[in-house]
């Protein structure tokens, strides 16, 4: 081990899940590499039955279906084995702080096991990346224009610098789309499971659901039946025009069809 002087084992891990909420979602796949202080390494991958349906929009990301996990063990059945693999280890990965660590901790809590995250050091390669390779305007000026940004955080200087960087990017990347619509679609990809740009209405298992506020997670059909004034409130409220357009469409009885599910060629980070 030359890149880090380990004084205790270190586990680098990644997981795929049913969604992005550690409180309600479940782990579907967990892969871990355990590095020891003497240079030994061991790896394990667990495919797990989450015991809840995997949403279609999640399947479209990692390609793991209900059918693939129907005969797999549950997390509870493998908890002791996973816990032993992580026992006494620090944690590592790429972007693990947002979902991976909280979800793993929550899964152990559900089966009555205390996974002590606070007592483990965490080494996140994404944080190293961000600290060593800043992604601010000054860094962009150095990279694309070979100059230092003078008067940074002054509006005029920043606006001029941003334009120069943008122009320099087209010189550096000649394959960038020059058609505005094509470039916008490439830079700002729209989630096909969102009905509006901000995703306040979202497809979930073939049903339109509310994706914000007190009714988050509820099917829009149920909301329309039980509280039709909710959509009228949205139309009158301070919501984006495309969000209001969806509400008007539903009130008029014009229900959209779900987007097709097109899984990626292999498991991807959710």
């Amino acid at each position: 081990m030359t890149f880090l002087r380990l004084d205790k084992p270190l586990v680098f891990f990644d997981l795929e899940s049913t969604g992005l909420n550690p409180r309600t979602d479940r782990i579907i796949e967990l892969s871990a590499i355990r590095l020891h202080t003497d240079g030994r390494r061991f790896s394990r991958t667990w495919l797990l039955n989450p015991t809840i349906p995997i949403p279609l929009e999640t399947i479209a990301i990692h390609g793991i279906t209900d059918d693939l996990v129907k005969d797999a063990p549950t997390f509870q059945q493998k908890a002791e084995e996973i816990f032993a693999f992580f026992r006494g280890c620090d944690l590592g990965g790429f972007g693990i702080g947002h979902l991976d660590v909280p979800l793993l901790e929550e899964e152990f809590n559900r089966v009555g096991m205390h996974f002590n995250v606070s007592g483990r050091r965490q080494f996140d390669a994404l944080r190293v990346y961000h600290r060593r390779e800043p992604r601010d305007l000054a860094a962009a000026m150095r990279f694309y224009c070979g100059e230092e940004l003078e008067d940074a955080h002054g509006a005029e200087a920043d606006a001029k610098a941003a334009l120069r960087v943008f122009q320099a990017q087209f010189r550096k990347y000649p394959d960038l789309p020059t058609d505005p619509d094509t470039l916008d679609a490439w830079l700002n990809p729209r989630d096909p499971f969102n009905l509006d740009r901000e995703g306040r209405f979202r497809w979930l298992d073939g049903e339109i659901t509310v994706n914000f506020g007190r009714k988050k997670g509820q099917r829009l059909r149920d909301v329309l039946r039980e509280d039709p004034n909710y959509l009228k409130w949205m139309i009158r409220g301070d919501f984006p025009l495309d969000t209001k357009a969806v509400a008007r469409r539903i009130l008029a009885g014009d229900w959209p069809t779900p987007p097709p599910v097109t899984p990626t060629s292999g498991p991807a980070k959710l």
Side-chain angles (χ1 to χ4, degrees):
M1 182 64 62
T2 59
F3 64 90
L4 186 65
R5 296 192 303 274
L6 294 180
D7 53 15
K8 64 188 297 188
L10 169 64
V11 169
F12 259 68
F13 75 102
D14 186 80
L15 57 81
E16 304 296 341
S17 65
T18 59
L20 301 175
N21 189 332
R23 298 291 182 185
T24 58
D25 284 303
R26 301 291 189 271
I27 295 175
I28 302 172
E29 185 179 48
L30 171 63
S31 187
I33 305 169
R34 178 169 171 144
L35 310 175
H36 286 256
T37 56
D38 59 5
R40 292 176 300 146
R41 65 171 61 192
F42 304 92
S43 62
R44 288 293 309 273
T45 296
W46 294 269
L47 185 67
L48 303 168
N49 185 333
T51 71
I52 61 175
I54 304 173
L56 294 177
E57 67 273 17
T58 302
I59 295 172
I61 295 174
H62 51 49
I64 304 175
T65 64
D66 291 320
D67 189 60
L68 287 175
V69 298
K70 65 180 181 180
D71 297 323
T74 65
F75 186 90
Q76 184 172 18
Q77 292 171 321
K78 289 294 182 178
E80 291 284 353
E81 184 178 308
I82 296 171
F83 194 90
F85 194 89
F86 280 78
R87 181 179 287 116
C89 296
D90 289 329
L91 305 176
F94 191 86
I96 58 175
H98 176 66
L99 178 67
D100 301 66
V101 169
L103 184 50
L104 184 61
E105 187 175 24
E106 192 67 27
E107 286 279 27
F108 278 118
N109 286 338
R110 291 188 190 106
V111 299
M113 301 177 70
H114 178 54
F115 188 69
N116 185 17
V117 173
S118 62
R120 304 170 188 259
R121 293 170 295 193
Q122 295 184 34
F123 306 107
D124 193 328
L126 178 61
R127 294 188 178 182
V128 175
Y129 180 37
H130 286 170
R131 285 179 177 269
R132 291 294 183 171
E133 304 294 339
R135 292 295 186 264
D136 56 20
L137 185 54
M141 277 289 288
R142 283 192 294 270
F143 184 79
Y144 290 105
C145 303
E147 301 176 18
E148 293 297 325
L149 174 59
E150 303 294 337
D151 300 322
H153 305 300
E156 181 179 1
D158 285 0
K160 289 180 178 178
L163 177 57
R164 291 191 60 196
V165 166
F166 191 53
Q167 292 171 323
Q169 287 172 329
F170 279 86
R171 293 192 295 270
K172 185 173 181 63
Y173 311 120
D175 60 333
L176 279 179
T178 55
D179 173 68
D181 286 338
T182 305
L183 183 60
D184 175 64
W186 183 70
L187 291 174
N188 308 291
R190 180 164 178 171
D191 189 329
F193 291 94
N194 288 345
L195 274 81
D196 56 323
R197 184 173 290 274
E198 293 188 0
R200 294 180 184 273
F201 293 117
R202 182 170 173 81
W203 289 102
L204 182 63
D205 284 335
E207 287 285 344
I208 302 172
T209 60
V210 179
N211 195 38
F212 74 101
R214 58 188 175 87
K215 294 186 182 293
K216 183 174 182 178
Q218 294 186 28
R219 301 193 317 170
L220 199 53
R221 294 184 189 274
D222 297 334
V223 173
L224 185 62
R225 183 182 66 253
E226 299 168 3
D227 187 10
N229 287 327
Y230 181 79
L231 291 177
K232 297 176 182 177
W233 165 75
M234 291 190 67
I235 293 172
R236 295 192 304 268
D238 185 21
F239 289 94
L241 293 178
D242 64 330
T243 304
K244 293 183 178 184
V246 173
R248 290 193 183 93
R249 183 176 177 181
I250 299 303
L251 280 173
D254 181 13
W255 288 83
T257 56
V261 177
T262 54
T264 57
S265 58
K269 184 65 179 175
L270 180 63

